[in-house]
């Protein structure tokens, strides 16, 4: 591992991608130091050695600035720092830290570029570098897109190494020994005679030193954590019920609030009668807020009961409010004026289709889907003359502060956000609407901590769902092989909808519309993927695996149809067409794992799908049995390529969770709308996969790619098409619409 020159204490650990971006934004601007937020109000003797490591006489604190929404983010980040710092994580504190531009996420911005993950050309590298640099310049602190590990992999190890070497330098000053005579061990510098000098005892000296900028990362052969099974840092708290989420917070003098706002978002409120609610036991206030009403009581249950007693006169929906009409609007969007992108256009698709005698065509549909995290939206807010304090889980701390500043007219410096663990998200906490409501409430009863919790029903009715969409597909054969593949996808733009709420412009084509479809590594001679931007309707947002969640179903279902039309084996045909070696290896792996080609016996079927999303090729094989009571999902085999697996246990958990999440939604879930409001209100009518329905899931992680990637989302897109393809193999029934239970029963 080469020696790496860097700057640490007051600036920032800049990745090579950011330096590349200097071409686009000016090297000075890209290299310009970002203040270390840990230096603000630093106590005498405390050593903030980098933006990620704070050491004083009381202990060691590691800053893990990506949100933990249940995916183990804090644990992975802490292990990356600890690997180089050489500390035992049972003996340190782990904190999210203050929102800061120092914690920008460069990878999430690079992934938003219309650059295929399989492309490594000079222009592709420059494009990713420019996006990375823009993220640094703007200070975009975002958690999403499975970007935590690829963004942090080098950055946090460097942070740990700089801190380690600075502490060793402090020990050199204290002992008079040379660097070569010292080594580190579990939070201490060791001298040749075995004397142990704890890092905490060196903090005061380290605080007076310039950080050691020239560091060498440890050889992977000596790694203690990376690549080895790790105990998550939150496993004890979560196993014992002691983990603190937003719903668990308690403060002296706290009051409890909930809200009712127009279920047809943006329709406003014409008026309300809150007299009955105000008269109920424990109710303290009935307050107007934007588009609705808030109830404040002496506990959450009484607030919920009083909110149900509100009589509100809602305004009409400002968008197409019924599901059938929404799909009709999408279906009408296949026009030249609404064409949004055509990032893939190989060969001459039109000529190939015109000349073919064997054209296949199909139409597919996916519905709106809710995030439905187990912990409903919750937040605690206190507003005083001097400051606003907010405690919540969020994936967008900087944007949240900006939005609160706009809402209140306060300076951003007066807004103090305390980020805590979230009880699930799946993309929901990329929004801050619930926080803004709580700030409105707290501003009306200043100097009082207000805990605001939505009921489950309010959570469902005010979600920003995954978009609905339609795909039209055509393909042709020549000499028994796939000659052309033409996929056109229409849906509203997720980026256009969500970026507005973040105060950001939505410029250019939306890659989300065709994500997981346009960039698949298949060499079909005539290959085209086109995106059409349907009108904005229900406000939408990112949902686990975002655009690839539906597009994987479109692409891999139709590819399966084309394979069967050609009389080819779906696995062998994918391998024949694939031109990306890491993807070939995941296909080969999942074929070997599932004993692809073996006879399953009567009434059984096996389906395969592969989607490359977030730079990660994931292939899945689903086995089903067609029983007298319906389709039973027996087994799922998964192979995924992430370059390097940081924690094998968490890797398997993320993949397994993604498969269960995806299959449950494919089987049963949709949000339908009437008069602008969703018709599903709780888990009883939005049912995921039950425990007894959960199949055996076998997972294999591959490490052939040079790029390090995340795994939180990429396991989702192939699951639904693999299931649909398996049902076809078992029954001969081709299903082109989700949820699949519209067409088959599941055991």
């Amino acid at each position: 591992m080469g020696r790496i020159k860097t700057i640490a204490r007051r600036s920032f650990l800049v990745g090579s991608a950011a330096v590349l971006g200097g071409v686009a934004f000016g090297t000075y601007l890209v290299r310009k130091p970002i203040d270390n937020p840990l230096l603000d109000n630093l106590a005498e003797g405390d050593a903030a050695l980098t933006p990620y490591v704070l050491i004083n006489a009381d202990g060691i604190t590691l800053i893990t600035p990506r949100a933990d929404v249940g995916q183990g983010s804090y644990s992975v980040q802490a292990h990356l720092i600890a690997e180089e710092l050489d500390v035992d994580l049972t003996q340190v504190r782990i904190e999210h830290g203050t929102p800061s531009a120092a914690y920008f996420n460069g990878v999430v911005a690079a992934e938003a570029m219309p650059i295929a993950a399989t492309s490594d050309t000079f222009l592709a590298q420059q494009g990713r570098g420019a996006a990375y640099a823009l993220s640094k310049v703007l200070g975009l602190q975002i958690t999403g897109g499975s970007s935590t590990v690829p963004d942090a992999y080098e950055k946090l190890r460097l942070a740990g190494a700089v801190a380690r070497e600075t502490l060793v330098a402090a020990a050199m000053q204290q002992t008079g020994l040379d660097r070569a005579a010292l080594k580190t061990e579990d939070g201490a510098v060791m001298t040749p005679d075995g004397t142990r000098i704890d890092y905490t005892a060196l903090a005061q000296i380290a605080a007076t030193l310039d950080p050691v900028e020239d560091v060498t990362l440890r050889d992977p052969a000596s790694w203690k954590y990376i690549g080895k099974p790790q105990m998550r840092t939150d496993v004890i708290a979560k196993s014992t019920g002691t983990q603190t989420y937003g719903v668990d917070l308690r403060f002296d003098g706290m009051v409890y609030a909930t809200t009712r706002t127009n279920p047809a978002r943006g329709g406003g409120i014409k008026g309300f009668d809150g007299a009955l609610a105000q008269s109920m036991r424990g109710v303290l206030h009935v307050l107007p807020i934007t588009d609705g009403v808030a109830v404040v009581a002496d506990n959450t249950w009484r607030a919920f009961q009083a909110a149900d007693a509100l009589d509100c006169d809602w305004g009409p929906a400002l968008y197409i409010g019924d599901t059938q009409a929404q799909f009709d609007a999408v279906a009408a969007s296949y026009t030249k004026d609404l064409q949004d992108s055509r990032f893939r256009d190989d060969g001459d698709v039109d000529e190939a289709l015109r000349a073919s005698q064997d054209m296949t065509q199909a139409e597919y549909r996916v519905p709106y889907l809710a995030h439905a995290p187990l912990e409903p939206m919750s937040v605690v807010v206190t507003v005083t003359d001097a400051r606003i304090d907010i405690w919540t889980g969020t994936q967008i701390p900087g944007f949240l502060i900006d939005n609160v500043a706009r809402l209140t007219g306060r300076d951003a410096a007066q807004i103090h956000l305390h980020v805590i663990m979230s009880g699930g998200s799946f993309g929901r906490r990329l929004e801050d609407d619930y926080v803004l409501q709580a700030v409105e409430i707290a501003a009306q009863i200043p100097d009082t901590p207000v805990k605001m919790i939505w009921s489950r029903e309010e959570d469902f009715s005010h979600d920003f769902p995954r978009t609905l969409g339609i795909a039209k597909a055509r393909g042709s054969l020549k000499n028994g092989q796939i000659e052309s593949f033409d996929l056109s996808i229409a849906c509203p733009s997720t980026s256009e909808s969500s970026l507005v709420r973040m105060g950001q412009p939505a410029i250019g084509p939306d890659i989300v519309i065709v994500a997981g479809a346009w960039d698949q590594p298949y060499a079909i001679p005539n290959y085209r993927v086109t995106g059409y931007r349907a009108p904005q309707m229900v406000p939408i947002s990112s949902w686990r695996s975002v655009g690839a969640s539906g597009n994987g179903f479109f692409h891999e279902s139709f590819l399966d149809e084309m394979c069967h039309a050609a009389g080819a084996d779906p696995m062998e045909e994918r391998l024949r067409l694939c031109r990306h070696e890491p993807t070939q290896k995941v296909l080969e792996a999942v074929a070997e794992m599932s004993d692809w080609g073996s006879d399953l016996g009567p009434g059984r079927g096996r389906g395969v799908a592969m989607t490359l999303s977030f730079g990660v090729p994931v292939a899945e094989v689903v086995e089903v049995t067609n029983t007298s009571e319906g389709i039973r999902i027996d087994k799922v085999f998964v192979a995924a390529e992430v370059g390097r697996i940081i924690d094998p246990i968490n890797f398997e958990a993320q993949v397994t969770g993604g498969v269960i999440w995806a299959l449950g939604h494919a089987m049963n879930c949709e949000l339908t709308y009437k008069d602008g409001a969703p018709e599903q209100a709780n888990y009883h009518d939005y049912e995921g996969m039950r425990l007894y329905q959960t199949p055996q899931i076998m997972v294999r992680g591959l490490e052939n790619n040079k790029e390090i990637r995340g795994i939180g989302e990429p396991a989702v897109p192939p699951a639904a098409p693999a299931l649909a393809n398996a049902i076809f193999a078992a029954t001969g029934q081709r299903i082109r619409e989700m949820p699949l239970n519209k067409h088959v029963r599941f055991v």
Side-chain angles (χ1 to χ4, degrees), residues 115 171 353 392 551:
I115 302 170
L353 291 170
T392 192
N551 296 339

Side-chain angles (χ1 to χ4, degrees), residues 574-590:
R574 282 174 171 80
L575 282 166
R576 185 185 71 81
L577 293 170
C578 184
R579 293 295 183 273
H580 182 236
E581 187 174 352
T583 302
Q584 290 173 339
K585 290 185 180 299
V586 295
L587 285 165
E588 291 167 352
V590 83

Side-chain angles (χ1 to χ4, degrees), residues 5 33 42 54 89 145 174 223 264 266 301 322 338 362 373 395 454 475 479 603 606 635 660 685 698 700:
K5 190 81 171 176
L42 192 68
L54 176 67
L89 289 183
Q174 179 171 305
W223 283 350
W301 175 250
D322 296 328
L338 295 179
Q395 296 169 248
W454 280 358
N479 300 325
R606 185 187 279 133
K635 295 180 180 177
I660 293 172
D685 50 13
M698 278 62 71
R700 182 181 297 177

Side-chain angles (χ1 to χ4, degrees), residues 132-453:
Y132 190 102
L134 177 63
S135 179
K136 176 181 183 285
V137 172
L138 298 178
L140 299 179
Q141 187 182 358
I142 299 176
T143 303
S146 292
S147 61
T148 294
V149 166
D151 184 72
Y153 180 70
E154 180 180 274
K155 195 183 290 182
L156 297 192
R157 289 161 57 221
L158 279 169
V162 169
R164 180 194 70 219
E165 291 304 313
T166 306
L167 289 160
V168 171
M172 292 166 61
Q173 181 171 312
Q174 179 171 305
T175 63
L177 294 170
D178 293 336
R179 173 65 183 90
L182 300 173
K183 62 179 183 179
T184 60
E185 181 179 301
D186 284 340
V189 178
M190 305 297 294
T191 66
D193 65 358
T195 300
R196 176 185 173 92
I197 310 174
D198 288 340
Y199 287 166
T200 51
L202 295 167
Q204 196 159 10
I205 299 175
T208 66
L209 303 177
D210 289 333
V212 176
E213 299 175 358
D214 194 2
V215 299
T216 302
L217 296 178
R218 293 184 187 279
D219 190 300
S222 66
W223 283 350
K224 297 167 60 178
Y225 300 119
I226 299 174
K228 297 178 173 57
Q230 301 158 12
M231 186 176 81
R232 276 177 54 159
T233 55
D234 56 359
V235 69
I236 293 176
K238 289 186 172 176
S239 300
T240 58
T242 56
Q243 179 67 55
T244 299
Y245 299 96
V247 294
D248 301 313
L249 292 173
R250 297 284 188 276
F251 293 103
D252 291 342
M254 177 180 284
V255 296
Y256 302 82
T258 195
T259 64
R260 285 289 180 273
T261 52
N262 193 333
R265 281 183 172 275
I269 185 169
K270 298 177 181 176
F272 71 94
D273 183 351
L276 178 58
Q278 184 67 70
S279 69
M280 295 174 71
R281 181 185 178 193
V283 172
L284 305 173
H285 308 281
V286 176
L287 303 171
I289 60 172
T290 301
D291 285 349
V293 189
V295 173
V296 182
D298 58 0
N299 67 43
T300 296
W301 175 250
R302 287 172 180 161
F304 282 180
Q305 297 302 299
D308 286 342
L310 291 168
D311 183 8
C312 299
D313 183 12
W314 304 122
L318 302 181
Y319 45 79
I320 299 172
D322 296 328
T323 292
Q324 184 56 54
Q326 292 163 347
F327 271 115
D328 290 344
V330 175
S333 301
Y334 288 94
T335 67
K336 187 174 181 180
D337 290 348
L338 295 179
Q339 181 178 318
D340 187 72
S341 68
R342 182 167 284 172
F343 300 133
R344 184 70 171 267
D345 192 6
D346 300 344
D348 189 338
V349 170
D350 292 329
E351 175 58 24
L353 291 170
R354 187 193 62 77
S356 174
Q357 301 298 314
D358 294 310
M359 187 172 77
T360 299
Q361 54 187 342
E363 180 179 300
Y364 302 86
R365 295 189 175 209
V366 295
Y368 286 117
L369 290 173
H371 296 88
L374 189 60
E375 179 196 14
M377 298 301 99
S378 63
V379 56
V380 177
V381 179
T382 302
V383 176
T384 69
D385 289 340
R387 56 189 284 157
I388 298 174
D389 282 276
I390 301 167
W391 291 264
T392 192
T394 178
Q395 296 169 248
I396 51 167
F399 292 112
L400 187 154
I401 289 174
D402 291 344
N403 282 342
V404 172
R406 276 192 285 270
L407 174 70
T408 61
R410 300 285 190 102
D411 190 281
Q414 293 180 284
I415 300 163
H416 301 267
L417 175 61
H418 314 271
V419 181
I420 59 176
M421 185 80 77
S422 299
S425 173
F426 316 111
R428 181 60 180 88
R429 290 184 185 269
L430 287 164
E431 305 287 341
D432 59 9
D433 50 325
Y434 63 102
V435 175
L436 301 181
Q437 285 187 1
V439 170
E440 280 196 75
I441 298 166
Q444 297 181 67
I445 43 177
D447 305 316
T448 305
V450 177
K451 179 194 282 188
M452 202 279 286
I453 302 178

